[in-house]
């Protein structure tokens, strides 16, 4: 555990590389092409590896950079290593919702803390991340569905949220298309932000607080002494460190597995599209089983399927099947299965490798899956059926994001029992963007020994191995 140290956090972009084939940068920004400047890229002369840091964070998504930011604010030296580009994978490809509504009671308190951080971060960082509080709507097609949504009101009341049920004229006043639904659950204090801005803004904040921020550098593995972390080995050299945090998103299972640490985590592909500026139907975001939309800062919409994602089979799908059965049984219609390239690619990927040779993380710098054509078609049909005001707007961009999902759809934030001073922050199950700042602050506290033990107990890795019942949280 750390309680201070030298200033200087390195954000080493563990998902290195340029988005050569990225189908979307989303959020109104131009697509990044090979040759574009990467402000965090490793350069031996101008942005070298540090010789030593107190904490090395593997993964430059929103969890990793937030961890670095809060460590740096405490004067703890750290390094975030991202093999590709900061927020280049799911942290930059998600829906952009900063949502309390519908969260599991297990993670809701942390999400509420995170919302408070989202409010203060733009001023603290001196950057516009597109964050505004414009509310979340969960739409119900009939009275039975509305009654089902209303069951969550008890959770909202327990935590003092402003959640309520809207019907009729009250719903239409907030959502121009609201008359097509029987009603909605609404939390006005929920927010939205722009994924393409947020992760990099927090990384710049970490750098301003004393962090070294680098990208395009893969961490191949760690070194230990007397059973504890002593260093990491990157493709560009070794860095001595007293602690390592694995916040590598969809890569966490592979990285931790190479160290003998089992992370029950499987990939889920979510497909998303961007519409150009159109009529303002609502100021925030809305979900229904058919389609989910978020109003964007540029006046367009981010659109996703309301209730369907794809699980591409990998060998771990069979090893972890029993643990994921409760989640599948709870919502069998929400996941489609696919056997394809991902299975054979994973099968060919070694589980261990030499630290002085190229690793799997260098062979695939950015996880850039194609969106699922079926989901895109169903999204388009749902727009025509439920939101005809947007039906004529084309898909300006479409993209896929690979979500790392845990068996109970809740985060894993825990120290390793196998390796001293090795910590895991993963399995955010598509909820990581909104909870990112709060989770990063919690991880920083975990490493420094200041985090609330009761909070950490909710997210312990051991819950999947100690006989505890696996109770899935909400999938949305």
């Amino acid at each position: 555990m750390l309680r201070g140290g030298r200033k200087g956090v390195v954000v080493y972009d563990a998902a290195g590389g340029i988005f050569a084939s990225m189908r979307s940068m989303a959020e109104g920004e131009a697509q990044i092409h090979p040759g574009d400047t990467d402000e965090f890229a490793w350069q031996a002369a101008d942005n070298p590896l540090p010789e030593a840091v107190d904490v090395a964070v593997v993964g430059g998504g929103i969890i990793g950079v937030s961890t670095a930011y809060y460590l740096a604010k405490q004067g703890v030296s750290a390094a975030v290593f991202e093999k590709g580009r900061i927020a280049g994978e799911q942290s930059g490809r998600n829906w952009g919702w900063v949502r309390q509504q519908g969260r599991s009671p297990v993670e809701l308190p942390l999400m509420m803390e995170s919302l408070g951080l989202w409010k203060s971060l733009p001023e603290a960082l001196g950057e516009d991340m597109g964050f505004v509080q414009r509310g979340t709507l969960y739409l119900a097609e009939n009275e039975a569905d509305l009654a089902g949504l209303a069951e969550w009101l008890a959770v909202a009341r327990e935590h003092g949220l402003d959640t309520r049920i809207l019907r009729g004229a009250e719903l239409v006043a907030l959502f121009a298309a609201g008359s097509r639904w029987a009603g909605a659950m609404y939390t006005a204090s929920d927010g939205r932000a722009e994924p393409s801005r947020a992760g990099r803004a927090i990384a710049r904040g970490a750098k301003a607080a004393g962090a070294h921020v680098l990208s395009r550098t893969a961490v191949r593995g760690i070194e230990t002494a007397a059973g504890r972390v002593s260093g990491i080995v990157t493709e560009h050299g070794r860095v001595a460190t007293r602690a390592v945090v694995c916040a590598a998103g969809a890569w966490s299972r592979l990285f931790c597995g190479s160290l003998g640490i089992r992370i029950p985590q499987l990939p889920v592909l979510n497909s998303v599209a961007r519409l150009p500026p159109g009529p303002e139907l609502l100021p925030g975001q809305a979900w229904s089983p058919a389609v989910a939309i978020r109003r964007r800062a540029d006046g367009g919409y981010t659109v996703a399927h309301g209730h369907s994602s794809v699980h591409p089979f990998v060998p771990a799908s069979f090893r972890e099947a029993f643990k994921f059965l409760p989640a599948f049984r709870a919502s069998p219609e929400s996941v489609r299965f696919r056997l394809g390239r991902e299975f054979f690619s994973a099968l060919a990927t070694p589980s261990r490798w030499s630290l002085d040779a190229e690793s799997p993380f260098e062979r695939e710098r950015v996880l850039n899956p194609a969106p699922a054509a079926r989901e895109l078609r169903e999204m388009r049909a749902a727009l025509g059926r439920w939101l005809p005001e947007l039906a004529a707007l084309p898909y300006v961009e479409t993209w896929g994001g690979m979500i790392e999902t845990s068996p109970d759809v809740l985060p894993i934030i825990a120290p390793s029992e196998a390796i001293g001073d090795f910590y895991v922050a993963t399995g955010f199950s598509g909820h990581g963007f909104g909870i990112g700042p709060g989770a990063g602050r919690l991880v920083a506290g975990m490493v420094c020994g200041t985090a609330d033990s009761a909070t950490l107990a909710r997210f312990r890795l051991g819950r999947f191995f100690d006989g505890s019942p696996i109770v899935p949280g909400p999938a949305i």
Side-chain angles (χ1 to χ4, degrees), residues 6 35 46 73 100 106 116 152 200 205 235 314 337 359:
R6 298 178 306 281
D46 301 328
K73 296 294 283 186
Q100 306 161 102
V106 175
W152 194 81
R200 294 200 293 274
E235 62 181 300
V314 293
F337 298 97
S359 71

Side-chain angles (χ1 to χ4, degrees), residues 314-460:
V314 293
S317 303
F318 303 97
R319 291 196 298 271
E320 305 293 356
F322 181 77
K323 294 187 185 299
F324 279 84
L325 273 178
F328 176 69
R329 288 171 175 163
S331 187
E333 72 285 355
S334 67
V335 179
R336 292 166 175 163
F337 298 97
R338 179 177 78 194
L339 178 62
R341 180 188 62 82
E342 296 90 351
F343 181 87
F344 299 101
S345 176
L347 195 63
T349 300
S351 59
R352 304 285 174 94
W353 47 84
S354 171
L355 301 189
D356 61 0
E358 184 185 57
S359 71
F361 311 115
E362 294 147 73
R363 297 182 195 123
E364 188 167 13
R365 290 290 183 177
V366 176
L367 191 58
N368 184 32
R374 178 175 174 179
E375 271 64 30
L376 294 178
R377 289 195 301 269
E378 291 182 357
M379 288 155 52
R380 174 58 67 189
L383 288 174
R385 164 69 176 85
W386 293 101
L387 298 168
E389 299 89 343
L390 306 180
L393 297 177
Y395 286 164
V396 176
E397 295 172 305
T398 63
W399 65 94
M402 201 64 78
I403 295 168
E404 84 282 12
T405 304
S406 72
D408 59 7
V409 202
L410 291 169
I412 300 167
I413 302 173
S416 166
E417 296 181 359
I419 301 173
D421 298 318
F422 183 86
Y423 303 86
V424 178
T426 191
F428 286 84
S429 305
H431 304 168
F433 182 72
I435 210 170
R441 188 168 70 172
L442 177 64
V443 174
M446 173 176 64
V447 175
C448 294
T450 58
D452 176 63
S453 58
T455 300
L456 288 176
R458 301 177 198 145
F459 305 117
R460 71 193 190 283

Side-chain angles (χ1 to χ4, degrees), residues 196-286:
S196 67
R197 301 181 195 173
R200 294 200 293 274
I202 296 171
R204 284 188 286 267
K207 185 176 181 179
H212 305 278
V213 180
L214 299 94
S215 61
R216 287 188 279 174
T217 302
V219 177
R220 293 172 173 172
I222 72 170
E223 294 180 339
T224 61
R228 312 195 77 80
V229 166
S230 62
I232 59 166
V233 178
T234 81
E235 62 181 300
H236 299 302
R238 181 185 185 275
V239 177
T241 185
R242 296 193 296 164
V244 171
V245 175
C246 178
W251 299 93
S252 294
R253 177 170 50 82
L254 179 62
F255 187 86
C256 291
S258 73
L259 307 176
I261 301 169
R262 181 181 171 189
I263 303 294
Q265 174 176 298
L266 292 177
V268 174
L269 172 66
N270 193 243
S271 301
V272 190
R274 176 168 74 88
L275 303 183
E280 184 173 359
L281 301 182
L282 79 172
Q285 57 241 9

